[in-house]
Amino acid sequence: MAVIHRTTMSPGKLELLTAWLPTRPWYRDNGRAPELSRAGGFRLDDPAGAVGIEFVLVNDSAGPEPITYHVPLTYRGAPLDGREDALVGTSIHGVLGQRWIYDATWDPVAVAQIIALLAGQAQPQAQSASDTPDLSVVVSVGEALSAATEFRSALDTPTHTDIAVSGGRSVRVERVLYPEPTAPNSTAAPLGPASGSPHSEASVAAPDSGTAGQKSAAGSRPRAGQAPKTPSNSTHAEDQRSAAAAFDATGGTRVTAPWQTDNGSTVRGMVLAIGA
C-alpha cells in the first residue's frame, strides 16, 4: 500500500511537466509555454512498495482551446538503468528526499501494474489519499488477459503511446484526452477530494509515489517511429472514439477515468486500453 505524504516537492510536478511536455510528439505545440493545471488522476500500488505510480491528468490553457493531457508517471528513489530518455526530471520530496520521475510507459514496474489493472487484478487508488480505492475509474474487462504479460517496448505517436507487451499485444495509452459522449439528461458527479485535492500537485506522494528529484532534466530526444504530422483535435477526437468502440466490439479491455475541464465541468474518457 502506498502512503501519501502531505509535504512539498521542489520543483513541483506541474513545473517539471511544463518543461517536459513540449518535447513529446503528442504535445499540441502552439508556440507558447504550457499553462498547466491539475485536472484529475489516480494511482496504482507497486506490490513491492518501492515505486510510486501515478496517472496525472492536466489541463493546458496556453492555446486557443484548452487541452487535457494524460501523463502516467513513476517515482523512484534511484535512477532507472537504461531509461535516461524517459526521465521527466528530478525533485526533492520533503519526506522521501530526492526522487527520479519517469514517463511510466517506459517503466517496467508501472507497465506490470497497468497490465494487472487491465486484467482485473489491480485496483485504482485515489490520487491524494492513502489506502483508498478510486471507484470513479472504471475498467471494462473484455477477453482474459494474463497479468504475467511482460513489457517489451514503448512507442510514442502524435496521439497516444503504444506499449508492446509479450504475446504480441499492445497497450494503448491515450495522451490527449477527449470526453466520451454522454447520454441525454445525464449529469456527471463532481470530482471528490481524492482527485482534486489542492495538495496533489506538490505535496502528495506514495512510497516512492509522488515525487522525483532535483530539477527538470526533460528528455528532449524524440523517439523512433513518431509520425511527422499531428492530427487536428477534431480528427483525433473521432479517432479516439472509434478506437474505444473497436475495443468494445472486439472484446478488448479499456479504462475510463473522469477529469475536470478548464470550465469546471466533469467529463469522462478512455485513458488506457488493450485489444483482445
mmCIF file with all atom_site columns, all heavy atoms in Angstrom, residues 239-252:
data_model
loop_
_atom_site.group_PDB
_atom_site.id
_atom_site.type_symbol
_atom_site.label_atom_id
_atom_site.label_alt_id
_atom_site.label_comp_id
_atom_site.label_asym_id
_atom_site.label_entity_id
_atom_site.label_seq_id
_atom_site.pdbx_PDB_ins_code
_atom_site.Cartn_x
_atom_site.Cartn_y
_atom_site.Cartn_z
_atom_site.occupancy
_atom_site.B_iso_or_equiv
_atom_site.pdbx_formal_charge
_atom_site.auth_seq_id
_atom_site.auth_comp_id
_atom_site.auth_asym_id
_atom_site.auth_atom_id
_atom_site.pdbx_PDB_model_num
ATOM 1  N N   . ASP A 1 239 ? -10.959 9.739  -33.894 1.00 0.00 ? 239 ASP A N   1
ATOM 2  C CA  . ASP A 1 239 ? -10.124 8.539  -33.875 1.00 0.00 ? 239 ASP A CA  1
ATOM 3  C C   . ASP A 1 239 ? -10.186 7.857  -32.516 1.00 0.00 ? 239 ASP A C   1
ATOM 4  O O   . ASP A 1 239 ? -10.279 6.620  -32.432 1.00 0.00 ? 239 ASP A O   1
ATOM 5  C CB  . ASP A 1 239 ? -8.681  8.921  -34.211 1.00 0.00 ? 239 ASP A CB  1
ATOM 6  C CG  . ASP A 1 239 ? -7.706  7.772  -33.978 1.00 0.00 ? 239 ASP A CG  1
ATOM 7  O OD1 . ASP A 1 239 ? -7.741  6.816  -34.760 1.00 0.00 ? 239 ASP A OD1 1
ATOM 8  O OD2 . ASP A 1 239 ? -6.927  7.841  -33.013 1.00 0.00 ? 239 ASP A OD2 1
ATOM 9  N N   . GLN A 1 240 ? -10.157 8.634  -31.456 1.00 0.00 ? 240 GLN A N   1
ATOM 10 C CA  . GLN A 1 240 ? -10.193 8.070  -30.112 1.00 0.00 ? 240 GLN A CA  1
ATOM 11 C C   . GLN A 1 240 ? -11.529 7.389  -29.844 1.00 0.00 ? 240 GLN A C   1
ATOM 12 O O   . GLN A 1 240 ? -11.577 6.288  -29.277 1.00 0.00 ? 240 GLN A O   1
ATOM 13 C CB  . GLN A 1 240 ? -9.936  9.174  -29.084 1.00 0.00 ? 240 GLN A CB  1
ATOM 14 C CG  . GLN A 1 240 ? -9.683  8.678  -27.681 1.00 0.00 ? 240 GLN A CG  1
ATOM 15 C CD  . GLN A 1 240 ? -9.302  9.804  -26.750 1.00 0.00 ? 240 GLN A CD  1
ATOM 16 O OE1 . GLN A 1 240 ? -10.139 10.328 -26.018 1.00 0.00 ? 240 GLN A OE1 1
ATOM 17 N NE2 . GLN A 1 240 ? -8.043  10.184 -26.784 1.00 0.00 ? 240 GLN A NE2 1
ATOM 18 N N   . ARG A 1 241 ? -12.615 8.013  -30.267 1.00 0.00 ? 241 ARG A N   1
ATOM 19 C CA  . ARG A 1 241 ? -13.935 7.405  -30.061 1.00 0.00 ? 241 ARG A CA  1
ATOM 20 C C   . ARG A 1 241 ? -14.096 6.143  -30.893 1.00 0.00 ? 241 ARG A C   1
ATOM 21 O O   . ARG A 1 241 ? -14.693 5.158  -30.442 1.00 0.00 ? 241 ARG A O   1
ATOM 22 C CB  . ARG A 1 241 ? -15.023 8.428  -30.389 1.00 0.00 ? 241 ARG A CB  1
ATOM 23 C CG  . ARG A 1 241 ? -15.111 9.546  -29.348 1.00 0.00 ? 241 ARG A CG  1
ATOM 24 C CD  . ARG A 1 241 ? -15.914 10.725 -29.821 1.00 0.00 ? 241 ARG A CD  1
ATOM 25 N NE  . ARG A 1 241 ? -15.801 11.821 -28.853 1.00 0.00 ? 241 ARG A NE  1
ATOM 26 C CZ  . ARG A 1 241 ? -15.911 13.108 -29.160 1.00 0.00 ? 241 ARG A CZ  1
ATOM 27 N NH1 . ARG A 1 241 ? -16.149 13.460 -30.419 1.00 0.00 ? 241 ARG A NH1 1
ATOM 28 N NH2 . ARG A 1 241 ? -15.804 14.023 -28.223 1.00 0.00 ? 241 ARG A NH2 1
ATOM 29 N N   . SER A 1 242 ? -13.547 6.153  -32.099 1.00 0.00 ? 242 SER A N   1
ATOM 30 C CA  . SER A 1 242 ? -13.596 4.952  -32.939 1.00 0.00 ? 242 SER A CA  1
ATOM 31 C C   . SER A 1 242 ? -12.782 3.826  -32.314 1.00 0.00 ? 242 SER A C   1
ATOM 32 O O   . SER A 1 242 ? -13.186 2.658  -32.340 1.00 0.00 ? 242 SER A O   1
ATOM 33 C CB  . SER A 1 242 ? -13.069 5.258  -34.341 1.00 0.00 ? 242 SER A CB  1
ATOM 34 O OG  . SER A 1 242 ? -13.879 6.208  -34.998 1.00 0.00 ? 242 SER A OG  1
ATOM 35 N N   . ALA A 1 243 ? -11.629 4.184  -31.761 1.00 0.00 ? 243 ALA A N   1
ATOM 36 C CA  . ALA A 1 243 ? -10.787 3.177  -31.105 1.00 0.00 ? 243 ALA A CA  1
ATOM 37 C C   . ALA A 1 243 ? -11.512 2.579  -29.916 1.00 0.00 ? 243 ALA A C   1
ATOM 38 O O   . ALA A 1 243 ? -11.485 1.359  -29.700 1.00 0.00 ? 243 ALA A O   1
ATOM 39 C CB  . ALA A 1 243 ? -9.466  3.803  -30.665 1.00 0.00 ? 243 ALA A CB  1
ATOM 40 N N   . ALA A 1 244 ? -12.185 3.408  -29.121 1.00 0.00 ? 244 ALA A N   1
ATOM 41 C CA  . ALA A 1 244 ? -12.932 2.912  -27.965 1.00 0.00 ? 244 ALA A CA  1
ATOM 42 C C   . ALA A 1 244 ? -14.028 1.954  -28.407 1.00 0.00 ? 244 ALA A C   1
ATOM 43 O O   . ALA A 1 244 ? -14.220 0.883  -27.808 1.00 0.00 ? 244 ALA A O   1
ATOM 44 C CB  . ALA A 1 244 ? -13.527 4.082  -27.187 1.00 0.00 ? 244 ALA A CB  1
ATOM 45 N N   . ALA A 1 245 ? -14.743 2.313  -29.464 1.00 0.00 ? 245 ALA A N   1
ATOM 46 C CA  . ALA A 1 245 ? -15.795 1.440  -29.974 1.00 0.00 ? 245 ALA A CA  1
ATOM 47 C C   . ALA A 1 245 ? -15.233 0.120  -30.478 1.00 0.00 ? 245 ALA A C   1
ATOM 48 O O   . ALA A 1 245 ? -15.825 -0.950 -30.275 1.00 0.00 ? 245 ALA A O   1
ATOM 49 C CB  . ALA A 1 245 ? -16.566 2.155  -31.090 1.00 0.00 ? 245 ALA A CB  1
ATOM 50 N N   . ALA A 1 246 ? -14.059 0.181  -31.120 1.00 0.00 ? 246 ALA A N   1
ATOM 51 C CA  . ALA A 1 246 ? -13.436 -1.032 -31.639 1.00 0.00 ? 246 ALA A CA  1
ATOM 52 C C   . ALA A 1 246 ? -13.005 -1.956 -30.505 1.00 0.00 ? 246 ALA A C   1
ATOM 53 O O   . ALA A 1 246 ? -13.168 -3.178 -30.587 1.00 0.00 ? 246 ALA A O   1
ATOM 54 C CB  . ALA A 1 246 ? -12.240 -0.667 -32.517 1.00 0.00 ? 246 ALA A CB  1
ATOM 55 N N   . PHE A 1 247 ? -12.435 -1.399 -29.430 1.00 0.00 ? 247 PHE A N   1
ATOM 56 C CA  . PHE A 1 247 ? -12.051 -2.224 -28.285 1.00 0.00 ? 247 PHE A CA  1
ATOM 57 C C   . PHE A 1 247 ? -13.274 -2.919 -27.701 1.00 0.00 ? 247 PHE A C   1
ATOM 58 O O   . PHE A 1 247 ? -13.235 -4.100 -27.355 1.00 0.00 ? 247 PHE A O   1
ATOM 59 C CB  . PHE A 1 247 ? -11.362 -1.373 -27.211 1.00 0.00 ? 247 PHE A CB  1
ATOM 60 C CG  . PHE A 1 247 ? -9.937  -1.024 -27.534 1.00 0.00 ? 247 PHE A CG  1
ATOM 61 C CD1 . PHE A 1 247 ? -9.550  0.294  -27.713 1.00 0.00 ? 247 PHE A CD1 1
ATOM 62 C CD2 . PHE A 1 247 ? -8.970  -2.011 -27.659 1.00 0.00 ? 247 PHE A CD2 1
ATOM 63 C CE1 . PHE A 1 247 ? -8.237  0.620  -28.010 1.00 0.00 ? 247 PHE A CE1 1
ATOM 64 C CE2 . PHE A 1 247 ? -7.648  -1.699 -27.952 1.00 0.00 ? 247 PHE A CE2 1
ATOM 65 C CZ  . PHE A 1 247 ? -7.284  -0.375 -28.131 1.00 0.00 ? 247 PHE A CZ  1
ATOM 66 N N   . ASP A 1 248 ? -14.391 -2.179 -27.591 1.00 0.00 ? 248 ASP A N   1
ATOM 67 C CA  . ASP A 1 248 ? -15.614 -2.772 -27.047 1.00 0.00 ? 248 ASP A CA  1
ATOM 68 C C   . ASP A 1 248 ? -16.144 -3.876 -27.956 1.00 0.00 ? 248 ASP A C   1
ATOM 69 O O   . ASP A 1 248 ? -16.558 -4.946 -27.492 1.00 0.00 ? 248 ASP A O   1
ATOM 70 C CB  . ASP A 1 248 ? -16.683 -1.691 -26.864 1.00 0.00 ? 248 ASP A CB  1
ATOM 71 C CG  . ASP A 1 248 ? -16.355 -0.719 -25.743 1.00 0.00 ? 248 ASP A CG  1
ATOM 72 O OD1 . ASP A 1 248 ? -15.501 -1.066 -24.896 1.00 0.00 ? 248 ASP A OD1 1
ATOM 73 O OD2 . ASP A 1 248 ? -16.939 0.373  -25.719 1.00 0.00 ? 248 ASP A OD2 1
ATOM 74 N N   . ALA A 1 249 ? -16.131 -3.622 -29.259 1.00 0.00 ? 249 ALA A N   1
ATOM 75 C CA  . ALA A 1 249 ? -16.719 -4.566 -30.214 1.00 0.00 ? 249 ALA A CA  1
ATOM 76 C C   . ALA A 1 249 ? -15.918 -5.854 -30.338 1.00 0.00 ? 249 ALA A C   1
ATOM 77 O O   . ALA A 1 249 ? -16.478 -6.907 -30.658 1.00 0.00 ? 249 ALA A O   1
ATOM 78 C CB  . ALA A 1 249 ? -16.858 -3.894 -31.578 1.00 0.00 ? 249 ALA A CB  1
ATOM 79 N N   . THR A 1 250 ? -14.619 -5.789 -30.093 1.00 0.00 ? 250 THR A N   1
ATOM 80 C CA  . THR A 1 250 ? -13.762 -6.962 -30.296 1.00 0.00 ? 250 THR A CA  1
ATOM 81 C C   . THR A 1 250 ? -13.376 -7.658 -28.992 1.00 0.00 ? 250 THR A C   1
ATOM 82 O O   . THR A 1 250 ? -12.501 -8.523 -28.979 1.00 0.00 ? 250 THR A O   1
ATOM 83 C CB  . THR A 1 250 ? -12.480 -6.558 -31.050 1.00 0.00 ? 250 THR A CB  1
ATOM 84 O OG1 . THR A 1 250 ? -11.775 -5.555 -30.282 1.00 0.00 ? 250 THR A OG1 1
ATOM 85 C CG2 . THR A 1 250 ? -12.815 -6.004 -32.432 1.00 0.00 ? 250 THR A CG2 1
ATOM 86 N N   . GLY A 1 251 ? -14.015 -7.273 -27.899 1.00 0.00 ? 251 GLY A N   1
ATOM 87 C CA  . GLY A 1 251 ? -13.715 -7.929 -26.632 1.00 0.00 ? 251 GLY A CA  1
ATOM 88 C C   . GLY A 1 251 ? -12.463 -7.425 -25.955 1.00 0.00 ? 251 GLY A C   1
ATOM 89 O O   . GLY A 1 251 ? -11.888 -8.127 -25.120 1.00 0.00 ? 251 GLY A O   1
ATOM 90 N N   . GLY A 1 252 ? -12.030 -6.227 -26.306 1.00 0.00 ? 252 GLY A N   1
ATOM 91 C CA  . GLY A 1 252 ? -10.870 -5.639 -25.650 1.00 0.00 ? 252 GLY A CA  1
ATOM 92 C C   . GLY A 1 252 ? -11.231 -5.092 -24.281 1.00 0.00 ? 252 GLY A C   1
ATOM 93 O O   . GLY A 1 252 ? -12.391 -5.104 -23.858 1.00 0.00 ? 252 GLY A O   1
#
